[in-house]
Structures are given as C-alpha cells and as structure tokens.
C-alpha cells in the first residue's frame, strides 16, 4: 500500500496546533456536507479529537475559558485522516499530519529530552516528505506587543529562528522534487478579536497581515531562495479555531532570564457560546488542490480510465509502490485495485467501484472549487 500524502505542522509551544487540527476536521466536514464523501479518522486520531472536543464542551458548560486548561501536545502524534467514499468498496484518499510538542523545535530542549532525541529524526523525515508546511502563528503575540521589551520577545515566543531552520530544510527537499507539490501555509490563530466577520467587532485584519509579512519575511525569503527551480504555493489564512472566544487581556510576565512570556486571558462571547470555526477548512482545500493540480499535469494513467482499464488492471500483478507520484496514481487513479489481483470480480462490482471512485473525485473537486474564505490570500 502506498504512503499517505503528508503535511507537517511547525510552530512553538502553546500556539494551539492540536486545537487547529481539530478545527480543520470540523471545517472540512462542513465543506463536504451533502456529498457521498466523509472525513474518516483512525482510532488514535479519533480519540485525540474526542478528548479535545470534550475539554472544550466542559469549558462552555462552565462558562469559563482557560486556554492552558485545554492542554497542548505532550508527545509526538500522527493524525491519520482519510477522505472516504461512502459504500462498501472502500475508496479513499489518505493524509497524514504530524503534530509534536513545540518545544522540540529548540535543539537545546531536544538535548534535554530523551523522548525528543528519540523521536525527532522521525519528525524530520516526515517534514522533509511533506507536500505542505503549515506554520501556525499566535496572532495575539504579534498584535498585543506594544512596548520595546514586548516586541523584542516576539521572535522567541514565535520560535522564528527554529521555524526558519525547519523551513530551509523542507524547501531544500521540495526543490529536489519539482514534480511534486509544495505548499507553505501561514496560519495566524486565535484571530477572533481582530476581525468583524465571525461575531466580533475587530477592524485590524490589515495590521495582522502586515505584521505576519514583516515577522515571517525571512521564512518567505529562505523558501524562495531554496526553491529556485520550482514554484511554492504560499497561502495566508487567518483562522478562528473557536469563533466564540475573544482575547480580553494580554499579560506579559517577566521571566527569571530577564525575558518576557505572554499569557492571554480569554472569555466566551455569546450566551450560550457557539463554536464557529473560520477558515480552517482552507488547509484541507489546499492539500487537495495540490494533489489534483499535480494529477492533471501527469502523463501516467488517468483517473478517468474506462471500465476496460479496470479489467486489465485486475489481471496485472501488483507492483511495489513508493514515492509521491506512485501514491497519487494509487489513490486517485486505478491502481488501488492492483493489490486485489487474483480475486475475480464481476462487471457489476467493477462498475460500482468506478461509480464510487468518481464520487470521490467529484467531492474532492467540489472541496477544491468551494470559494476560499474571504480572509484567505495567495502570496
């Protein structure tokens, strides 16, 4: 079986990576509503998402929001996500998204953590193989820094030096595979206070965009310099992971080292609060757009192969698979049936499989074609 399409989340501790992944799933399910395609999770991923939703539900019932109480990632986690056609044939497009403690970006912290030292090589391998590099950004850290000391603390709080180093390694590998997609997605999180399009009254979208461009200009420069032989699709997507939560107070705490830490105090808005995720589905849209754009340009087997092509493939001996293009052919093309060779299928079974395959393709195309959120920009 071929490898899933990979994406990597690269951001510092407490930025909200795990909550973002939960929001991605919720928003993608909304975008796929009315289609015969569902978002399917493996057991471990479903369990993590269920816990995250449970913590948030408890906070809503209590009427008190404590971002720290929702917890962050304490160990490396791999989210196995599939876009799956309903029916008994089992056609699917799998994605694998890596999440890990943000502190692992810091080489000094990795040196002090046996678990990080053991798992980081696997993280690096996943990042290098990823068609998308997703950079979550704490919008409040950017927007609430007003004094010279606070502004000086921003690069450390956002982990910019470490993010730049990871982006450089990712871009070098992407440049070596110009036939494969490369998507860099900058995603400010906890943006509820700064926009007026999701229940808030903020009018600071322009300032947030300006600050992201300013603070991440080195990331953008590095990626452009390392990918001279190819195009990288750069997307800016400010996301509300809750929609019903708003920053009320920004607290800057003096550390023993002399630096500053940031703590945001939030409250629910609305009675009762209603979760309203905004723009998180952009991430799955861009992943699907990447694999479809690549598939269209390929000269290998077409996803629109005829029924007779299915029959020929059933008679072929399964061949070893590996690499992005083979994965693409396996899931979006006809070769998903090769590893079932040896079993006789009736024309009726093959026709049913073809219908479900087309439904999957059409649903993914619908997801990609859905209008982008008004906040989203291609840079």
């Amino acid at each position: 079986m071929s490898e899933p399409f990979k994406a990597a989340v690269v951001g510092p501790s407490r930025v909200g990576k795990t909550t973002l992944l939960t929001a991605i799933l919720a928003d993608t399910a909304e975008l796929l509503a009315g289609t015969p395609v569902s978002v399917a999770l493996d057991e471990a991923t479903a369990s993590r998402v269920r816990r995250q939703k449970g913590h948030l539900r408890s906070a809503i019932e209590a009427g008190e929001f404590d971002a720290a109480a929702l917890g962050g990632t304490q160990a490396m986690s791999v989210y196995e996500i599939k876009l799956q056609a309903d029916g008994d044939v089992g056609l699917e497009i799998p994605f694998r998204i890596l999440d890990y403690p943000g502190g692992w970006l810091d080489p000094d912290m990795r040196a002090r953590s046996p678990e990080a030292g053991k798992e980081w090589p696997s993280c690096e391998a996943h990042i290098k193989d990823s068609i998308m590099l997703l950079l979550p950004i704490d919008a409040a850290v950017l927007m609430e820094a007003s004094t010279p000391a606070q502004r000086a603390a921003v690069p450390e709080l956002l982990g910019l030096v470490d993010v730049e180093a990871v982006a450089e390694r990712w871009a070098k590998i992407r440049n070596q595979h110009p036939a494969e997609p490369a998507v860099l997605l900058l995603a400010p999180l906890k943006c509820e206070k700064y926009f007026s399009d999701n229940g808030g009254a903020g009018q600071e979208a322009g300032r947030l965009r300006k600050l992201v461009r300013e603070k991440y200009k080195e990331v953008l420069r590095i990626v452009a310099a390392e990918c001279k032989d190819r195009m990288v699709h750069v997307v800016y997507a400010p996301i509300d992971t809750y929609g019903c939560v708003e920053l009320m107070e920004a607290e800057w705490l003096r550390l023993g080292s002399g630096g500053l830490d940031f703590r945001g105090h939030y409250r629910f808005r609305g009675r009762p609060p209603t979760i309203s995720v905004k723009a998180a589905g952009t991430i799955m849209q861009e992943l699907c757009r990447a694999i479809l754009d690549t598939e269209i340009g390929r000269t290998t087997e077409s996803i629109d192969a005829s029924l007779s092509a299915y029959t020929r493939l059933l008679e072929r001996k399964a061949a070893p698979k590996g690499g992005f293009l083979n994965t693409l052919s396996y899931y979006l093309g006809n070769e998903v049936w090769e590893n079932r060779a040896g079993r006789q299928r009736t024309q009726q079974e093959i026709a049913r499989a073809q219908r479900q395959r087309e439904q999957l393709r059409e649903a993914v195309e619908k997801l990609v074609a859905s209008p982008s959120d008004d906040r989203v920009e291609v840079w």
Side-chain angles (χ1 to χ4, degrees), residues 37 115 127 141 148 164 200 215 256 278 308 357 360 365:
V37 173
E115 182 182 6
I127 291 167
V141 168
E164 289 162 6
K215 299 303 179 186
K278 180 77 169 169
S308 60
R357 181 176 60 86
L360 180 60
E365 288 180 332

Side-chain angles (χ1 to χ4, degrees), residues 133-135 137 184-188 212 216 220 234-238 379:
L133 191 67
L134 172 58
L135 306 184
I137 302 164
L184 177 66
L185 200 149
L186 296 95
V212 171
Y216 286 81
L220 297 172
V234 180
V235 179
Y236 169 73
W379 283 1

